[in-house]
Amino acid sequence: MECGAHERHAAILKDSSWFRQFRNGCNPWMARYVYALIFLFANLLAWAARDYGHGALSEMERLRVCAGKSNCLGAEGVLRVSLGCFVFFMIMFVSTVRTSKLQDPRDVWHSGWWFAKIVLWIALTILTFFIPSTFIRLYGEIAHFGAGVFLLIQLISIISFITWLNDCCVSDERADRCHIHVMLIATTAYVICIVGIILMYIWYAPEPSCLLNIFFITWTLVLLQLMTSISLHPKINAGFLTPGLMGLYVVFLCWCAIRSEPAGESCIKKAEASKRTDWLTIISFVVALLAIVIATFSTGIDSQCFQFRKREKEAEDDVLPYGYGFFHFVFATGAMYFAMLLIGWNTHHTIQKWTIDVGWTSTWVRVVNEWLAVCVYLWMLVAPIVLKWRENAEAT
């Protein structure tokens, strides 16, 4: 299973057969999709263990530790599948970190040996069901931190993409051509933000007594205004595009936070109807599950925004466009993240079938993530001025 010279690598890249690329195992571009599929299967297995695995898990003597607590075994099943996925990607992280050349044997391990790696993942997942529940509960506590790390990495990746897009559009060589496009995109973003805020007021704050939702939505509007004002300050002059795109992200996080509130709250219209499992509920669940995989995949291949030093000259055989170690680390933390979403960031409350990221803990995680996103973005705007001011103060 050796991947030798560039000629063979180029030949495989040109091959139109996905099966042959998978069998030869020499294509890092193909490899990332296979890892995403493994991650998707882990998500589906965790969901099945949560919603339909109670009867099967209760037959295992080692798992009879819930003392009659409702849905405890389902949450443990999610954590066990998550632990198997986490250990698998951490093994891949340790074995591929700092890989930089296509001829490196670790590149062969990353891009090939699929039968061995799939067997390894399955074996690790099975073994987790024989681990004592005390250790699983400890992993559940650690997973809160790991999921937070994933959210932070994802946040930095999104902000970096927004600033990169803005830099490309306002650069000297593209400024004249992209001026109209920038205005259209920024205007569209602001219109969507305002419409989204108005709809959230209508749907999730129909009565004056819905103080918490009114606070969430109003504060989101304030944050949007704050980002725009600071971005347009003469000393910063970052334009409309970046605060408009960040506004879309912030409004989306606010919507996710309110949607995570438990069903039955009077401030959410049709909340009682959401208790029934219908096609809309199932479709929403499937979309949310796919969104987790896509978010993990897109963040994992964005290692360049975390490189603090740029290489002066990239060799022809450098591993591009993503770092293997970073890719697997993101998937490892993503395994903790999907576990937290499936159990609502809390192992001690009842989890309804076909739901994801529901509960007051989930709501506050989303809200804090929204506020943190704004803080990071504003710091990226004012940091150059603050650092320059400090340098001038030290010089004088």
Side-chain angles (χ1 to χ4, degrees), residues 275-305:
K275 291 183 178 180
R276 303 191 303 269
T277 301
D278 53 14
W279 283 109
L280 181 60
T281 303
I282 295 175
I283 292 173
S284 300
F285 176 83
V286 172
V287 170
L289 203 65
L290 292 175
I292 297 173
V293 179
I294 294 172
T296 308
F297 176 83
S298 59
T299 305
I301 61 177
D302 192 21
S303 60
Q304 294 182 355
C305 68

mmCIF file of all heavy atoms in Angstrom, residues 275-305:
data_model
loop_
_atom_site.group_PDB
_atom_site.id
_atom_site.type_symbol
_atom_site.label_atom_id
_atom_site.label_comp_id
_atom_site.label_asym_id
_atom_site.label_seq_id
_atom_site.Cartn_x
_atom_site.Cartn_y
_atom_site.Cartn_z
ATOM 1 N N LYS A 275 -44.065 18.646 20.047
ATOM 2 C CA LYS A 275 -43.897 17.434 20.817
ATOM 3 C C LYS A 275 -44.206 16.198 19.982
ATOM 4 O O LYS A 275 -43.786 15.100 20.305
ATOM 5 C CB LYS A 275 -44.807 17.472 22.055
ATOM 6 C CG LYS A 275 -44.380 18.503 23.094
ATOM 7 C CD LYS A 275 -45.274 18.435 24.317
ATOM 8 C CE LYS A 275 -44.830 19.425 25.381
ATOM 9 N NZ LYS A 275 -45.703 19.368 26.581
ATOM 10 N N ARG A 276 -45.004 16.376 18.924
ATOM 11 C CA ARG A 276 -45.334 15.248 18.075
ATOM 12 C C ARG A 276 -44.260 15.082 17.013
ATOM 13 O O ARG A 276 -43.756 16.055 16.454
ATOM 14 C CB ARG A 276 -46.693 15.474 17.401
ATOM 15 C CG ARG A 276 -47.832 15.703 18.376
ATOM 16 C CD ARG A 276 -49.155 15.646 17.639
ATOM 17 N NE ARG A 276 -49.192 16.616 16.548
ATOM 18 C CZ ARG A 276 -49.637 17.851 16.679
ATOM 19 N NH1 ARG A 276 -50.037 18.295 17.854
ATOM 20 N NH2 ARG A 276 -49.669 18.663 15.637
ATOM 21 N N THR A 277 -43.959 13.829 16.707
ATOM 22 C CA THR A 277 -42.966 13.541 15.687
ATOM 23 C C THR A 277 -43.647 13.544 14.328
ATOM 24 O O THR A 277 -44.429 12.642 14.016
ATOM 25 C CB THR A 277 -42.298 12.177 15.938
ATOM 26 O OG1 THR A 277 -41.679 12.202 17.229
ATOM 27 C CG2 THR A 277 -41.252 11.889 14.887
ATOM 28 N N ASP A 278 -43.399 14.554 13.520
ATOM 29 C CA ASP A 278 -43.962 14.613 12.188
ATOM 30 C C ASP A 278 -42.821 14.706 11.179
ATOM 31 O O ASP A 278 -41.652 14.674 11.529
ATOM 32 C CB ASP A 278 -44.922 15.799 12.053
ATOM 33 C CG ASP A 278 -44.261 17.119 12.491
ATOM 34 O OD1 ASP A 278 -43.019 17.141 12.627
ATOM 35 O OD2 ASP A 278 -44.982 18.111 12.692
ATOM 36 N N TRP A 279 -43.188 14.814 9.913
ATOM 37 C CA TRP A 279 -42.158 14.861 8.878
ATOM 38 C C TRP A 279 -41.280 16.097 9.003
ATOM 39 O O TRP A 279 -40.084 16.043 8.733
ATOM 40 C CB TRP A 279 -42.822 14.810 7.498
ATOM 41 C CG TRP A 279 -43.275 13.442 7.124
ATOM 42 C CD1 TRP A 279 -44.567 12.980 7.045
ATOM 43 C CD2 TRP A 279 -42.437 12.329 6.820
ATOM 44 N NE1 TRP A 279 -44.580 11.651 6.706
ATOM 45 C CE2 TRP A 279 -43.283 11.220 6.547
ATOM 46 C CE3 TRP A 279 -41.058 12.150 6.731
ATOM 47 C CZ2 TRP A 279 -42.792 9.964 6.211
ATOM 48 C CZ3 TRP A 279 -40.556 10.894 6.398
ATOM 49 C CH2 TRP A 279 -41.420 9.820 6.139
ATOM 50 N N LEU A 280 -41.859 17.224 9.394
ATOM 51 C CA LEU A 280 -41.065 18.432 9.546
ATOM 52 C C LEU A 280 -40.022 18.258 10.648
ATOM 53 O O LEU A 280 -38.869 18.686 10.501
ATOM 54 C CB LEU A 280 -41.979 19.620 9.866
ATOM 55 C CG LEU A 280 -41.278 20.980 10.022
ATOM 56 C CD1 LEU A 280 -40.559 21.346 8.735
ATOM 57 C CD2 LEU A 280 -42.287 22.052 10.409
ATOM 58 N N THR A 281 -40.409 17.600 11.745
ATOM 59 C CA THR A 281 -39.467 17.342 12.834
ATOM 60 C C THR A 281 -38.326 16.451 12.359
ATOM 61 O O THR A 281 -37.154 16.687 12.664
ATOM 62 C CB THR A 281 -40.197 16.687 14.019
ATOM 63 O OG1 THR A 281 -41.266 17.531 14.428
ATOM 64 C CG2 THR A 281 -39.247 16.476 15.178
ATOM 65 N N ILE A 282 -38.678 15.404 11.602
ATOM 66 C CA ILE A 282 -37.662 14.467 11.118
ATOM 67 C C ILE A 282 -36.722 15.157 10.138
ATOM 68 O O ILE A 282 -35.497 14.993 10.199
ATOM 69 C CB ILE A 282 -38.337 13.245 10.466
ATOM 70 C CG1 ILE A 282 -39.130 12.460 11.514
ATOM 71 C CG2 ILE A 282 -37.307 12.350 9.791
ATOM 72 C CD1 ILE A 282 -39.933 11.305 10.951
ATOM 73 N N ILE A 283 -37.297 15.951 9.229
ATOM 74 C CA ILE A 283 -36.461 16.656 8.251
ATOM 75 C C ILE A 283 -35.540 17.645 8.957
ATOM 76 O O ILE A 283 -34.353 17.754 8.628
ATOM 77 C CB ILE A 283 -37.342 17.375 7.210
ATOM 78 C CG1 ILE A 283 -38.064 16.354 6.330
ATOM 79 C CG2 ILE A 283 -36.507 18.313 6.341
ATOM 80 C CD1 ILE A 283 -39.083 16.964 5.387
ATOM 81 N N SER A 284 -36.055 18.352 9.950
ATOM 82 C CA SER A 284 -35.232 19.300 10.704
ATOM 83 C C SER A 284 -34.091 18.582 11.409
ATOM 84 O O SER A 284 -32.955 19.079 11.440
ATOM 85 C CB SER A 284 -36.096 20.048 11.727
ATOM 86 O OG SER A 284 -37.126 20.774 11.088
ATOM 87 N N PHE A 285 -34.392 17.406 11.951
ATOM 88 C CA PHE A 285 -33.354 16.637 12.632
ATOM 89 C C PHE A 285 -32.268 16.200 11.650
ATOM 90 O O PHE A 285 -31.068 16.312 11.940
ATOM 91 C CB PHE A 285 -33.964 15.413 13.313
ATOM 92 C CG PHE A 285 -32.955 14.511 13.966
ATOM 93 C CD1 PHE A 285 -32.471 14.780 15.234
ATOM 94 C CD2 PHE A 285 -32.478 13.381 13.303
ATOM 95 C CE1 PHE A 285 -31.539 13.959 15.836
ATOM 96 C CE2 PHE A 285 -31.546 12.551 13.892
ATOM 97 C CZ PHE A 285 -31.077 12.835 15.163
ATOM 98 N N VAL A 286 -32.671 15.688 10.493
ATOM 99 C CA VAL A 286 -31.696 15.226 9.495
ATOM 100 C C VAL A 286 -30.830 16.381 9.013
ATOM 101 O O VAL A 286 -29.605 16.247 8.881
ATOM 102 C CB VAL A 286 -32.423 14.556 8.308
ATOM 103 C CG1 VAL A 286 -31.442 14.241 7.185
ATOM 104 C CG2 VAL A 286 -33.119 13.277 8.764
ATOM 105 N N VAL A 287 -31.456 17.527 8.763
ATOM 106 C CA VAL A 287 -30.696 18.708 8.324
ATOM 107 C C VAL A 287 -29.705 19.130 9.398
ATOM 108 O O VAL A 287 -28.546 19.458 9.106
ATOM 109 C CB VAL A 287 -31.652 19.862 7.968
ATOM 110 C CG1 VAL A 287 -30.876 21.151 7.743
ATOM 111 C CG2 VAL A 287 -32.475 19.511 6.733
ATOM 112 N N ALA A 288 -30.139 19.124 10.659
ATOM 113 C CA ALA A 288 -29.244 19.499 11.754
ATOM 114 C C ALA A 288 -28.080 18.526 11.872
ATOM 115 O O ALA A 288 -26.932 18.931 12.106
ATOM 116 C CB ALA A 288 -30.024 19.551 13.069
ATOM 117 N N LEU A 289 -28.344 17.233 11.675
ATOM 118 C CA LEU A 289 -27.283 16.235 11.754
ATOM 119 C C LEU A 289 -26.267 16.427 10.628
ATOM 120 O O LEU A 289 -25.050 16.375 10.848
ATOM 121 C CB LEU A 289 -27.891 14.836 11.689
ATOM 122 C CG LEU A 289 -27.057 13.695 12.289
ATOM 123 C CD1 LEU A 289 -26.904 13.892 13.784
ATOM 124 C CD2 LEU A 289 -27.710 12.350 11.991
ATOM 125 N N LEU A 290 -26.766 16.667 9.416
ATOM 126 C CA LEU A 290 -25.863 16.920 8.298
ATOM 127 C C LEU A 290 -25.084 18.213 8.494
ATOM 128 O O LEU A 290 -23.915 18.311 8.103
ATOM 129 C CB LEU A 290 -26.664 16.981 6.990
ATOM 130 C CG LEU A 290 -27.290 15.669 6.521
ATOM 131 C CD1 LEU A 290 -28.142 15.901 5.280
ATOM 132 C CD2 LEU A 290 -26.219 14.620 6.231
ATOM 133 N N ALA A 291 -25.716 19.210 9.133
ATOM 134 C CA ALA A 291 -25.030 20.477 9.392
ATOM 135 C C ALA A 291 -23.842 20.268 10.328
ATOM 136 O O ALA A 291 -22.803 20.932 10.174
ATOM 137 C CB ALA A 291 -26.006 21.491 9.987
ATOM 138 N N ILE A 292 -23.981 19.363 11.297
ATOM 139 C CA ILE A 292 -22.861 19.075 12.197
ATOM 140 C C ILE A 292 -21.686 18.526 11.412
ATOM 141 O O ILE A 292 -20.525 18.945 11.578
ATOM 142 C CB ILE A 292 -23.294 18.068 13.277
ATOM 143 C CG1 ILE A 292 -24.399 18.641 14.147
ATOM 144 C CG2 ILE A 292 -22.103 17.671 14.144
ATOM 145 C CD1 ILE A 292 -24.985 17.634 15.120
ATOM 146 N N VAL A 293 -21.964 17.573 10.520
ATOM 147 C CA VAL A 293 -20.891 16.953 9.727
ATOM 148 C C VAL A 293 -20.247 17.975 8.798
ATOM 149 O O VAL A 293 -19.014 18.054 8.690
ATOM 150 C CB VAL A 293 -21.447 15.762 8.917
ATOM 151 C CG1 VAL A 293 -20.349 15.126 8.072
ATOM 152 C CG2 VAL A 293 -22.056 14.725 9.858
ATOM 153 N N ILE A 294 -21.078 18.782 8.129
ATOM 154 C CA ILE A 294 -20.540 19.778 7.194
ATOM 155 C C ILE A 294 -19.722 20.830 7.935
ATOM 156 O O ILE A 294 -18.641 21.236 7.476
ATOM 157 C CB ILE A 294 -21.696 20.435 6.409
ATOM 158 C CG1 ILE A 294 -22.375 19.401 5.504
ATOM 159 C CG2 ILE A 294 -21.189 21.607 5.578
ATOM 160 C CD1 ILE A 294 -23.634 19.912 4.834
ATOM 161 N N ALA A 295 -20.214 21.275 9.097
ATOM 162 C CA ALA A 295 -19.471 22.272 9.881
ATOM 163 C C ALA A 295 -18.133 21.715 10.343
ATOM 164 O O ALA A 295 -17.101 22.401 10.291
ATOM 165 C CB ALA A 295 -20.301 22.715 11.081
ATOM 166 N N THR A 296 -18.127 20.459 10.789
ATOM 167 C CA THR A 296 -16.871 19.841 11.221
ATOM 168 C C THR A 296 -15.913 19.688 10.054
ATOM 169 O O THR A 296 -14.715 19.966 10.164
ATOM 170 C CB THR A 296 -17.152 18.465 11.858
ATOM 171 O OG1 THR A 296 -18.147 18.605 12.873
ATOM 172 C CG2 THR A 296 -15.888 17.883 12.473
ATOM 173 N N PHE A 297 -16.434 19.255 8.910
ATOM 174 C CA PHE A 297 -15.603 19.057 7.722
ATOM 175 C C PHE A 297 -15.001 20.371 7.247
ATOM 176 O O PHE A 297 -13.792 20.474 6.999
ATOM 177 C CB PHE A 297 -16.452 18.431 6.618
ATOM 178 C CG PHE A 297 -15.741 18.262 5.310
ATOM 179 C CD1 PHE A 297 -14.932 17.164 5.087
ATOM 180 C CD2 PHE A 297 -15.881 19.194 4.301
ATOM 181 C CE1 PHE A 297 -14.272 17.003 3.881
ATOM 182 C CE2 PHE A 297 -15.228 19.049 3.091
ATOM 183 C CZ PHE A 297 -14.418 17.936 2.879
ATOM 184 N N SER A 298 -15.840 21.413 7.121
ATOM 185 C CA SER A 298 -15.353 22.702 6.614
ATOM 186 C C SER A 298 -14.357 23.337 7.570
ATOM 187 O O SER A 298 -13.396 23.992 7.147
ATOM 188 C CB SER A 298 -16.524 23.646 6.362
ATOM 189 O OG SER A 298 -17.255 23.861 7.568
ATOM 190 N N THR A 299 -14.558 23.166 8.882
ATOM 191 C CA THR A 299 -13.613 23.707 9.855
ATOM 192 C C THR A 299 -12.305 22.927 9.835
ATOM 193 O O THR A 299 -11.220 23.502 9.949
ATOM 194 C CB THR A 299 -14.218 23.665 11.271
ATOM 195 O OG1 THR A 299 -15.476 24.346 11.269
ATOM 196 C CG2 THR A 299 -13.293 24.329 12.278
ATOM 197 N N GLY A 300 -12.390 21.617 9.664
ATOM 198 C CA GLY A 300 -11.191 20.779 9.690
ATOM 199 C C GLY A 300 -10.222 21.060 8.563
ATOM 200 O O GLY A 300 -9.006 20.905 8.731
ATOM 201 N N ILE A 301 -10.730 21.464 7.395
ATOM 202 C CA ILE A 301 -9.836 21.718 6.270
ATOM 203 C C ILE A 301 -9.351 23.165 6.239
ATOM 204 O O ILE A 301 -8.634 23.565 5.318
ATOM 205 C CB ILE A 301 -10.533 21.387 4.932
ATOM 206 C CG1 ILE A 301 -11.777 22.258 4.730
ATOM 207 C CG2 ILE A 301 -10.880 19.916 4.870
ATOM 208 C CD1 ILE A 301 -12.472 22.036 3.407
ATOM 209 N N ASP A 302 -9.721 23.954 7.252
ATOM 210 C CA ASP A 302 -9.356 25.368 7.286
ATOM 211 C C ASP A 302 -8.203 25.594 8.266
ATOM 212 O O ASP A 302 -8.278 26.463 9.124
ATOM 213 C CB ASP A 302 -10.568 26.216 7.686
ATOM 214 C CG ASP A 302 -10.319 27.699 7.457
ATOM 215 O OD1 ASP A 302 -9.433 28.032 6.649
ATOM 216 O OD2 ASP A 302 -10.981 28.516 8.101
ATOM 217 N N SER A 303 -7.147 24.824 8.128
ATOM 218 C CA SER A 303 -6.019 24.937 9.062
ATOM 219 C C SER A 303 -5.184 26.185 8.816
ATOM 220 O O SER A 303 -4.450 26.626 9.701
ATOM 221 C CB SER A 303 -5.125 23.690 8.958
ATOM 222 O OG SER A 303 -4.617 23.555 7.633
ATOM 223 N N GLN A 304 -5.284 26.774 7.627
ATOM 224 C CA GLN A 304 -4.421 27.901 7.299
ATOM 225 C C GLN A 304 -4.704 29.129 8.159
ATOM 226 O O GLN A 304 -3.815 29.930 8.429
ATOM 227 C CB GLN A 304 -4.567 28.251 5.818
ATOM 228 C CG GLN A 304 -4.054 27.154 4.898
ATOM 229 C CD GLN A 304 -4.160 27.540 3.435
ATOM 230 O OE1 GLN A 304 -4.700 28.595 3.107
ATOM 231 N NE2 GLN A 304 -3.663 26.686 2.563
ATOM 232 N N CYS A 305 -5.969 29.283 8.613
ATOM 233 C CA CYS A 305 -6.278 30.469 9.427
ATOM 234 C C CYS A 305 -5.705 30.346 10.831
ATOM 235 O O CYS A 305 -5.752 31.302 11.599
ATOM 236 C CB CYS A 305 -7.784 30.689 9.502
ATOM 237 S SG CYS A 305 -8.673 29.436 10.430
#
